[in-house]
Amino acid sequence: MLQSFLRTIVKVAVASLIVGTILAHFGSTFDVLTREAGVSPERIETLFRKGIAWVVPNIVLGSLIIVPVWFLAYILRPPGRSQE
C-alpha cells in the first residue's frame, strides 16, 4: 500500500514538473497567474493558515474517539489472525 502511495506521489510530481516547465516556456509564472486570478500571495497564505487552523483541531478531536476505538479493536481481535 505504501509503495502504491509513493508511486502516485512520484507520478503527480513528474506531471507537475512537466506542466510547470511548459507554462514557464510560455511565460506564465506564479505571480502572473495569481495576478490574473485576482489573488495575492498574502491572500493565499491567509487562506492556507485558516485552513490549517480548522483542520488541526478537528483531527485532534476525531482522534480522541478513533484512536481508543482502534486500540480496543486491536487488543480484542481473535488470536492467531494474520496481518497479511
Side-chain angles (χ1 to χ4, degrees):
M1 183 167 158
L2 180 62
Q3 185 179 12
S4 174
F5 177 71
L6 291 175
R7 187 178 304 130
T8 301
I9 295 295
V10 169
K11 287 179 184 178
V12 168
V14 170
S16 297
L17 179 63
I18 291 169
V19 170
T21 302
I22 292 169
L23 287 172
H25 177 72
F26 290 112
S28 293
T29 63
F30 177 76
D31 295 331
V32 170
L33 291 175
T34 55
R35 188 174 43 241
E36 298 247 348
V39 181
S40 68
E42 293 81 18
R43 178 70 177 149
I44 292 172
E45 180 183 356
T46 301
L47 290 173
F48 180 76
R49 289 183 188 275
K50 283 183 179 181
I52 294 296
W54 176 82
V55 165
V56 171
N58 286 317
I59 288 176
V60 171
L61 182 62
S63 69
L64 289 174
I65 302 299
I66 297 299
V67 171
V69 168
W70 170 83
F71 185 69
L72 282 174
Y74 181 77
I75 295 291
L76 299 175
R77 76 172 194 262
R81 227 164 85 180
S82 175
Q83 292 293 332
E84 296 176 16

Coordinates of all heavy atoms in Angstrom, one line a residue:
M1 N 0.8 -1.2 0.0 CA 0.0 0.0 0.0 C 0.9 1.3 0.0 O 0.6 2.2 -0.7 CB -0.9 0.0 1.2 CG -1.8 1.1 1.2 SD -3.1 0.9 2.4 CE -3.6 2.5 2.7
L2 N 1.9 1.2 0.8 CA 2.8 2.4 0.9 C 3.5 2.6 -0.5 O 3.7 3.7 -0.9 CB 3.9 2.2 2.0 CG 4.9 3.3 2.1 CD1 4.1 4.6 2.5 CD2 5.9 3.0 3.2
Q3 N 3.9 1.5 -1.1 CA 4.5 1.6 -2.4 C 3.6 2.2 -3.5 O 4.0 3.0 -4.3 CB 5.0 0.2 -2.9 CG 5.8 0.2 -4.2 CD 6.2 -1.2 -4.6 OE1 5.7 -2.2 -4.0 NE2 7.1 -1.3 -5.5
S4 N 2.3 1.8 -3.4 CA 1.4 2.4 -4.3 C 1.2 3.9 -4.1 O 1.1 4.7 -5.0 CB 0.0 1.7 -4.2 OG -1.0 2.3 -4.9
F5 N 1.2 4.3 -2.8 CA 1.0 5.7 -2.5 C 2.3 6.5 -2.9 O 2.1 7.6 -3.5 CB 0.9 5.8 -0.9 CG 0.8 7.3 -0.5 CD1 -0.3 8.1 -0.7 CD2 1.9 7.8 0.2 CE1 -0.3 9.4 -0.3 CE2 1.8 9.1 0.7 CZ 0.7 9.9 0.4
L6 N 3.5 6.0 -2.7 CA 4.7 6.6 -3.2 C 4.7 6.7 -4.7 O 5.2 7.7 -5.2 CB 5.9 5.9 -2.6 CG 6.1 6.0 -1.1 CD1 7.3 5.2 -0.7 CD2 6.3 7.4 -0.7
R7 N 4.3 5.7 -5.4 CA 4.3 5.7 -6.8 C 3.3 6.8 -7.3 O 3.7 7.6 -8.3 CB 3.8 4.4 -7.4 CG 3.9 4.3 -8.9 CD 3.5 2.9 -9.4 NE 4.2 1.8 -8.8 CZ 3.7 0.7 -8.2 NH1 2.4 0.6 -8.2 NH2 4.5 -0.2 -7.7
T8 N 2.2 7.0 -6.7 CA 1.3 8.1 -7.0 C 1.9 9.4 -6.8 O 1.7 10.3 -7.6 CB 0.0 7.9 -6.2 OG1 -0.6 6.6 -6.5 CG2 -1.0 9.0 -6.6
I9 N 2.6 9.6 -5.7 CA 3.2 10.9 -5.4 C 4.3 11.2 -6.4 O 4.4 12.4 -6.9 CB 3.9 10.8 -3.9 CG1 2.8 10.7 -2.9 CG2 4.7 12.0 -3.7 CD1 1.9 11.8 -2.8
V10 N 5.0 10.2 -6.8 CA 6.1 10.5 -7.9 C 5.4 10.8 -9.2 O 5.9 11.8 -9.9 CB 7.0 9.2 -8.0 CG1 7.9 9.3 -9.2 CG2 7.8 9.0 -6.8
K11 N 4.3 10.2 -9.5 CA 3.6 10.5 -10.8 C 3.1 11.9 -10.8 O 3.2 12.7 -11.8 CB 2.5 9.5 -11.0 CG 2.9 8.1 -11.4 CD 1.7 7.3 -11.6 CE 2.0 5.8 -11.9 NZ 0.8 5.0 -12.1
V12 N 2.5 12.3 -9.6 CA 2.0 13.7 -9.5 C 3.1 14.7 -9.6 O 3.0 15.7 -10.3 CB 1.2 13.9 -8.2 CG1 0.9 15.3 -7.9 CG2 -0.1 13.1 -8.3
A13 N 4.3 14.4 -9.0 CA 5.4 15.3 -9.0 C 6.0 15.4 -10.4 O 6.3 16.6 -10.9 CB 6.5 14.8 -8.0
V14 N 6.1 14.3 -11.1 CA 6.6 14.4 -12.5 C 5.6 15.2 -13.4 O 6.1 16.0 -14.2 CB 6.9 13.0 -13.0 CG1 7.2 13.0 -14.5 CG2 8.0 12.3 -12.3
A15 N 4.3 14.9 -13.3 CA 3.4 15.6 -14.1 C 3.4 17.1 -13.8 O 3.3 17.9 -14.7 CB 2.0 15.0 -13.9
S16 N 3.5 17.4 -12.5 CA 3.6 18.9 -12.2 C 4.8 19.5 -12.7 O 4.8 20.7 -13.2 CB 3.6 19.0 -10.6 OG 2.4 18.5 -10.1
L17 N 5.9 18.8 -12.7 CA 7.2 19.3 -13.3 C 7.0 19.6 -14.8 O 7.5 20.6 -15.3 CB 8.3 18.4 -13.0 CG 9.7 18.8 -13.5 CD1 10.2 20.1 -12.9 CD2 10.7 17.7 -13.3
I18 N 6.4 18.7 -15.5 CA 6.3 18.8 -16.9 C 5.3 20.0 -17.2 O 5.7 20.8 -18.1 CB 5.7 17.5 -17.5 CG1 6.8 16.4 -17.5 CG2 5.2 17.7 -19.0 CD1 6.3 15.0 -17.8
V19 N 4.2 20.1 -16.6 CA 3.3 21.2 -16.8 C 3.9 22.5 -16.4 O 3.8 23.5 -17.1 CB 1.9 20.9 -16.0 CG1 1.1 22.2 -16.1 CG2 1.2 19.7 -16.6
G20 N 4.6 22.5 -15.3 CA 5.3 23.8 -14.9 C 6.3 24.2 -15.9 O 6.5 25.4 -16.2
T21 N 7.1 23.3 -16.5 CA 8.1 23.6 -17.5 C 7.4 24.2 -18.7 O 7.9 25.2 -19.3 CB 8.9 22.3 -17.8 OG1 9.5 21.8 -16.7 CG2 9.9 22.7 -18.9
I22 N 6.3 23.6 -19.1 CA 5.6 24.1 -20.3 C 5.0 25.5 -20.1 O 5.1 26.4 -20.9 CB 4.4 23.1 -20.7 CG1 5.0 21.8 -21.2 CG2 3.5 23.7 -21.7 CD1 4.0 20.7 -21.4
L23 N 4.4 25.7 -18.9 CA 3.9 27.0 -18.5 C 5.0 28.1 -18.5 O 4.9 29.2 -19.0 CB 3.2 27.0 -17.2 CG 1.8 26.3 -17.2 CD1 1.3 26.2 -15.8 CD2 0.8 27.0 -18.1
A24 N 6.2 27.7 -17.9 CA 7.3 28.6 -17.8 C 7.8 29.0 -19.2 O 8.2 30.1 -19.5 CB 8.4 28.0 -17.0
H25 N 7.8 28.0 -20.1 CA 8.2 28.3 -21.5 C 7.4 29.3 -22.2 O 7.9 30.1 -23.0 CB 8.2 27.0 -22.3 CG 8.5 27.1 -23.7 ND1 9.8 27.4 -24.2 CD2 7.8 27.1 -24.9 CE1 9.8 27.5 -25.5 NE2 8.6 27.3 -25.9
F26 N 6.1 29.4 -21.9 CA 5.2 30.3 -22.4 C 5.1 31.6 -21.6 O 4.2 32.5 -21.9 CB 3.8 29.7 -22.6 CG 3.7 28.7 -23.7 CD1 3.5 27.4 -23.4 CD2 3.9 29.1 -25.1 CE1 3.5 26.4 -24.4 CE2 3.9 28.1 -26.1 CZ 3.7 26.8 -25.7
G27 N 5.9 31.8 -20.6 CA 6.0 33.0 -19.8 C 5.0 33.1 -18.7 O 4.8 34.2 -18.1
S28 N 4.3 32.0 -18.3 CA 3.4 32.0 -17.2 C 4.2 31.7 -15.9 O 5.0 30.8 -15.9 CB 2.3 31.0 -17.3 OG 1.5 31.3 -18.4
T29 N 4.1 32.6 -14.9 CA 4.7 32.3 -13.6 C 3.6 32.3 -12.5 O 2.5 32.7 -12.8 CB 5.7 33.4 -13.3 OG1 5.1 34.7 -13.2 CG2 6.8 33.5 -14.4
F30 N 4.0 32.0 -11.3 CA 3.1 32.0 -10.2 C 2.5 33.4 -10.0 O 1.3 33.6 -9.8 CB 3.8 31.5 -8.9 CG 2.9 31.6 -7.7 CD1 2.0 30.6 -7.5 CD2 3.1 32.6 -6.8 CE1 1.1 30.7 -6.4 CE2 2.3 32.6 -5.7 CZ 1.3 31.7 -5.5
D31 N 3.4 34.4 -10.1 CA 3.0 35.8 -9.9 C 1.9 36.2 -11.0 O 0.9 36.9 -10.7 CB 4.2 36.8 -9.9 CG 5.1 36.5 -8.8 OD1 4.6 36.1 -7.7 OD2 6.3 36.8 -8.9
V32 N 2.2 35.9 -12.2 CA 1.3 36.2 -13.3 C -0.1 35.6 -13.1 O -1.1 36.2 -13.3 CB 1.9 35.9 -14.7 CG1 0.9 36.0 -15.8 CG2 3.1 36.7 -15.0
L33 N 0.0 34.3 -12.8 CA -1.3 33.5 -12.7 C -2.1 34.1 -11.5 O -3.3 34.2 -11.6 CB -1.0 32.0 -12.5 CG -0.4 31.3 -13.7 CD1 -0.1 29.9 -13.4 CD2 -1.4 31.4 -14.9
T34 N -1.5 34.4 -10.4 CA -2.2 34.9 -9.2 C -2.7 36.3 -9.5 O -3.9 36.6 -9.1 CB -1.4 34.9 -7.9 OG1 -0.2 35.6 -8.1 CG2 -1.0 33.5 -7.5
R35 N -2.0 37.1 -10.2 CA -2.4 38.4 -10.5 C -3.6 38.4 -11.4 O -4.6 39.1 -11.3 CB -1.3 39.3 -11.1 CG -1.6 40.7 -11.3 CD -0.5 41.6 -11.8 NE 0.3 40.9 -12.9 CZ 1.6 40.6 -12.8 NH1 2.3 40.9 -11.7 NH2 2.2 40.0 -13.8
E36 N -3.6 37.5 -12.4 CA -4.7 37.3 -13.4 C -5.9 36.8 -12.7 O -7.1 37.1 -13.0 CB -4.3 36.4 -14.5 CG -3.2 36.9 -15.3 CD -3.5 37.2 -16.7 OE1 -4.6 36.9 -17.1 OE2 -2.7 37.9 -17.4
A37 N -5.8 35.9 -11.6 CA -6.9 35.4 -10.9 C -7.4 36.4 -9.9 O -8.5 36.2 -9.3 CB -6.5 34.1 -10.2
G38 N -6.7 37.4 -9.6 CA -7.1 38.4 -8.7 C -6.8 38.0 -7.2 O -7.5 38.5 -6.3
V39 N -5.8 37.2 -7.0 CA -5.5 36.7 -5.7 C -4.0 37.1 -5.4 O -3.2 36.9 -6.2 CB -5.7 35.2 -5.6 CG1 -5.3 34.7 -4.2 CG2 -7.0 34.8 -6.0
S40 N -3.8 37.6 -4.2 CA -2.4 38.0 -3.9 C -1.8 36.8 -3.1 O -2.5 36.0 -2.5 CB -2.4 39.2 -3.0 OG -3.0 38.9 -1.7
P41 N -0.5 36.7 -3.1 CA 0.2 35.7 -2.3 C -0.1 35.8 -0.8 O -0.2 34.8 -0.1 CB 1.7 36.0 -2.6 CG 1.8 36.6 -3.9 CD 0.5 37.4 -4.0
E42 N -0.4 37.0 -0.4 CA -0.7 37.2 1.0 C -2.1 36.6 1.3 O -2.3 36.0 2.4 CB -0.7 38.7 1.4 CG 0.6 39.3 1.4 CD 1.1 39.7 0.0 OE1 0.3 39.8 -0.9 OE2 2.3 39.9 -0.1
R43 N -3.0 36.7 0.4 CA -4.4 36.1 0.5 C -4.3 34.6 0.5 O -5.0 33.9 1.3 CB -5.3 36.6 -0.6 CG -6.6 36.0 -0.6 CD -7.5 36.5 0.5 NE -8.8 36.0 0.5 CZ -9.6 35.7 1.5 NH1 -9.1 36.0 2.7 NH2 -10.7 35.2 1.3
I44 N -3.4 34.0 -0.3 CA -3.2 32.6 -0.4 C -2.7 32.1 1.0 O -3.1 31.1 1.5 CB -2.3 32.2 -1.5 CG1 -3.0 32.5 -2.9 CG2 -1.9 30.7 -1.4 CD1 -2.1 32.3 -4.1
E45 N -1.7 32.9 1.5 CA -1.1 32.5 2.8 C -2.2 32.6 3.9 O -2.3 31.7 4.8 CB 0.0 33.4 3.1 CG 0.7 33.1 4.5 CD 1.8 34.1 4.8 OE1 2.1 35.0 4.0 OE2 2.3 34.0 5.9
T46 N -3.0 33.6 3.9 CA -4.1 33.7 4.9 C -5.1 32.6 4.8 O -5.5 32.0 5.8 CB -4.9 35.0 4.7 OG1 -3.9 36.1 4.8 CG2 -6.0 35.2 5.7
L47 N -5.5 32.2 3.5 CA -6.4 31.1 3.4 C -5.8 29.8 3.8 O -6.4 28.9 4.5 CB -6.8 31.0 1.9 CG -7.7 32.1 1.4 CD1 -7.9 31.9 -0.1 CD2 -9.1 32.0 2.1
F48 N -4.5 29.6 3.6 CA -3.8 28.4 4.0 C -3.7 28.3 5.5 O -4.0 27.3 6.1 CB -2.3 28.4 3.4 CG -1.5 27.2 3.8 CD1 -1.7 26.0 3.2 CD2 -0.6 27.3 4.8 CE1 -1.0 24.9 3.6 CE2 0.2 26.2 5.2 CZ 0.0 25.0 4.6
R49 N -3.4 29.4 6.2 CA -3.4 29.4 7.6 C -4.8 29.2 8.2 O -4.9 28.5 9.2 CB -2.8 30.8 8.1 CG -1.4 31.0 7.9 CD -0.9 32.3 8.5 NE 0.5 32.5 8.1 CZ 1.6 32.0 8.7 NH1 1.4 31.3 9.8 NH2 2.8 32.3 8.3
K50 N -5.8 29.7 7.6 CA -7.2 29.5 8.1 C -7.5 28.0 8.0 O -8.2 27.4 8.8 CB -8.2 30.3 7.4 CG -8.2 31.8 7.9 CD -9.3 32.5 7.1 CE -9.4 34.0 7.6 NZ -10.4 34.7 6.9
G51 N -7.1 27.4 6.8 CA -7.4 26.0 6.6 C -6.7 25.1 7.6 O -7.3 24.2 8.2
I52 N -5.4 25.4 7.9 CA -4.7 24.7 8.9 C -5.3 24.9 10.3 O -5.5 23.9 11.1 CB -3.2 25.1 9.0 CG1 -2.5 24.7 7.7 CG2 -2.5 24.5 10.1 CD1 -2.4 23.2 7.4
A53 N -5.7 26.1 10.6 CA -6.4 26.4 11.9 C -7.7 25.6 12.0 O -8.1 25.3 13.2 CB -6.6 27.9 12.1
W54 N -8.4 25.3 10.9 CA -9.6 24.5 11.0 C -9.3 23.0 11.1 O -10.0 22.3 11.8 CB -10.4 24.8 9.8 CG -11.7 24.0 9.7 CD1 -12.9 24.2 10.4 CD2 -11.9 22.8 8.9 NE1 -13.8 23.3 10.0 CE2 -13.2 22.4 9.2 CE3 -11.1 22.1 8.1 CZ2 -13.7 21.2 8.6 CZ3 -11.6 20.9 7.5 CH2 -12.9 20.5 7.7
V55 N -8.3 22.5 10.3 CA -8.0 21.1 10.2 C -7.4 20.5 11.4 O -7.9 19.5 11.9 CB -7.1 20.9 9.0 CG1 -6.5 19.5 9.0 CG2 -7.8 21.1 7.7
V56 N -6.4 21.2 12.0 CA -5.7 20.6 13.2 C -6.7 20.3 14.4 O -6.6 19.2 14.9 CB -4.5 21.5 13.6 CG1 -3.9 21.0 14.9 CG2 -3.5 21.4 12.4
P57 N -7.5 21.2 14.8 CA -8.4 20.9 15.9 C -9.3 19.8 15.6 O -9.7 19.0 16.5 CB -9.1 22.2 16.2 CG -8.3 23.3 15.6 CD -7.6 22.7 14.5
N58 N -9.8 19.7 14.4 CA -10.8 18.7 14.0 C -10.1 17.3 14.0 O -10.7 16.3 14.3 CB -11.5 19.0 12.7 CG -12.5 20.1 12.9 OD1 -13.3 20.1 13.8 ND2 -12.5 21.0 12.0
I59 N -8.9 17.2 13.5 CA -8.1 16.0 13.5 C -7.9 15.5 15.0 O -8.1 14.3 15.3 CB -6.8 16.1 12.8 CG1 -7.1 16.2 11.3 CG2 -5.9 14.9 13.1 CD1 -5.9 16.4 10.4
V60 N -7.5 16.4 15.8 CA -7.2 16.1 17.2 C -8.5 15.6 17.9 O -8.6 14.6 18.6 CB -6.6 17.3 18.0 CG1 -6.5 17.0 19.5 CG2 -5.2 17.5 17.4
L61 N -9.6 16.3 17.6 CA -10.9 15.9 18.2 C -11.4 14.6 17.7 O -11.8 13.7 18.5 CB -12.0 17.0 17.8 CG -13.4 16.8 18.4 CD1 -13.3 16.8 19.9 CD2 -14.3 17.9 17.9
G62 N -11.2 14.3 16.5 CA -11.6 13.0 15.9 C -10.7 11.9 16.5 O -11.2 10.8 16.7
S63 N -9.4 12.2 16.6 CA -8.5 11.1 17.1 C -8.8 10.8 18.6 O -8.5 9.7 19.0 CB -7.1 11.6 16.9 OG -6.8 12.6 17.8
L64 N -9.5 11.7 19.3 CA -9.8 11.3 20.7 C -10.8 10.2 20.7 O -10.9 9.4 21.7 CB -10.4 12.5 21.4 CG -9.4 13.7 21.7 CD1 -10.2 14.9 22.3 CD2 -8.4 13.2 22.7
I65 N -11.6 10.0 19.7 CA -12.5 8.8 19.6 C -11.9 7.7 18.8 O -12.0 6.5 19.2 CB -13.9 9.3 18.9 CG1 -14.5 10.4 19.7 CG2 -14.8 8.1 18.8 CD1 -14.8 10.1 21.1
I66 N -11.3 8.0 17.7 CA -10.8 6.9 16.8 C -9.7 6.1 17.4 O -9.7 4.9 17.3 CB -10.4 7.6 15.4 CG1 -11.6 8.2 14.7 CG2 -9.7 6.5 14.5 CD1 -12.7 7.3 14.4
V67 N -8.7 6.7 18.0 CA -7.6 6.0 18.5 C -7.9 5.0 19.6 O -7.5 3.9 19.5 CB -6.5 7.0 18.9 CG1 -5.3 6.3 19.7 CG2 -5.9 7.7 17.7
P68 N -8.7 5.4 20.6 CA -9.1 4.4 21.6 C -10.0 3.3 21.0 O -9.8 2.1 21.4 CB -9.9 5.2 22.6 CG -9.5 6.6 22.5 CD -9.1 6.7 21.0
V69 N -10.9 3.6 20.1 CA -11.7 2.5 19.5 C -10.8 1.6 18.7 O -10.9 0.3 18.8 CB -12.8 3.1 18.6 CG1 -13.5 2.1 17.7 CG2 -13.8 3.9 19.5
W70 N -9.8 2.1 17.9 CA -8.9 1.3 17.2 C -8.1 0.4 18.1 O -7.9 -0.8 17.9 CB -8.0 2.1 16.3 CG -6.9 1.3 15.7 CD1 -6.9 0.6 14.6 CD2 -5.6 1.2 16.3 NE1 -5.7 0.0 14.4 CE2 -4.9 0.3 15.4 CE3 -4.9 1.7 17.4 CZ2 -3.5 -0.1 15.6 CZ3 -3.6 1.3 17.6 CH2 -2.9 0.5 16.8
F71 N -7.6 1.0 19.2 CA -6.8 0.3 20.2 C -7.6 -0.9 20.8 O -7.1 -2.0 20.9 CB -6.2 1.2 21.2 CG -5.3 0.6 22.2 CD1 -4.1 0.2 21.8 CD2 -5.7 0.4 23.5 CE1 -3.2 -0.4 22.7 CE2 -4.8 -0.3 24.4 CZ -3.5 -0.6 24.0
L72 N -8.8 -0.6 21.2 CA -9.7 -1.7 21.7 C -9.9 -2.8 20.7 O -9.8 -4.0 21.0 CB -11.0 -1.1 22.2 CG -11.0 -0.4 23.5 CD1 -12.3 0.2 23.8 CD2 -10.6 -1.4 24.7
A73 N -10.2 -2.4 19.5 CA -10.4 -3.4 18.4 C -9.1 -4.2 18.2 O -9.1 -5.5 18.0 CB -10.8 -2.8 17.1
Y74 N -7.9 -3.6 18.3 CA -6.7 -4.3 18.1 C -6.4 -5.2 19.2 O -6.0 -6.4 19.0 CB -5.5 -3.2 18.0 CG -4.2 -3.8 17.8 CD1 -3.8 -4.2 16.5 CD2 -3.3 -3.9 18.8 CE1 -2.5 -4.8 16.3 CE2 -2.0 -4.4 18.6 CZ -1.6 -4.9 17.4 OH -0.4 -5.4 17.2
I75 N -6.7 -4.8 20.5 CA -6.4 -5.6 21.6 C -7.4 -6.8 21.7 O -7.0 -7.9 22.0 CB -6.6 -4.8 22.9 CG1 -5.5 -3.7 23.0 CG2 -6.6 -5.7 24.2 CD1 -4.1 -4.3 23.3
L76 N -8.7 -6.6 21.3 CA -9.7 -7.7 21.4 C -9.9 -8.5 20.2 O -10.7 -9.4 20.2 CB -11.0 -7.0 21.8 CG -11.0 -6.2 23.1 CD1 -12.4 -5.5 23.3 CD2 -10.7 -7.1 24.3
R77 N -9.0 -8.4 19.2 CA -9.2 -9.2 18.0 C -8.8 -10.7 18.3 O -8.0 -10.9 19.2 CB -8.4 -8.7 16.8 CG -6.9 -8.9 16.9 CD -6.2 -8.5 15.6 NE -4.9 -9.1 15.7 CZ -3.8 -8.4 16.0 NH1 -3.9 -7.2 16.3 NH2 -2.6 -9.0 16.0
P78 N -9.4 -11.6 17.6 CA -9.1 -13.0 17.9 C -7.6 -13.3 17.7 O -7.0 -12.8 16.8 CB -10.0 -13.8 16.9 CG -11.0 -12.8 16.4 CD -10.4 -11.4 16.6
P79 N -7.1 -14.2 18.6 CA -5.7 -14.5 18.4 C -5.4 -15.4 17.2 O -6.3 -16.1 16.7 CB -5.4 -15.3 19.7 CG -6.7 -15.8 20.2 CD -7.7 -14.9 19.7
G80 N -4.2 -15.3 16.7 CA -3.8 -16.2 15.6 C -4.1 -15.7 14.2 O -3.9 -16.3 13.2
R81 N -4.8 -14.5 14.2 CA -5.2 -14.0 12.9 C -3.9 -13.3 12.2 O -3.2 -12.5 12.9 CB -6.3 -12.9 13.0 CG -7.4 -13.1 12.1 CD -8.6 -12.4 12.4 NE -8.5 -11.0 11.9 CZ -9.5 -10.1 12.1 NH1 -10.5 -10.5 12.8 NH2 -9.4 -8.9 11.7
S82 N -3.7 -13.5 11.0 CA -2.6 -13.0 10.3 C -2.8 -11.5 9.9 O -4.0 -11.2 9.6 CB -2.3 -13.8 9.0 OG -1.3 -13.2 8.3
Q83 N -1.8 -10.7 9.8 CA -1.9 -9.3 9.4 C -1.8 -9.2 7.9 O -2.0 -8.1 7.4 CB -0.8 -8.5 10.1 CG -0.9 -8.4 11.6 CD -2.1 -7.6 12.0 OE1 -2.6 -6.7 11.2 NE2 -2.6 -7.9 13.1
E84 N -1.6 -10.2 7.2 CA -1.4 -10.1 5.7 C -2.7 -10.1 5.0 O -3.7 -10.6 5.3 CB -0.6 -11.3 5.2 CG 0.8 -11.3 5.8 CD 1.6 -12.5 5.4 OE1 1.1 -13.2 4.4 OE2 2.6 -12.8 6.0

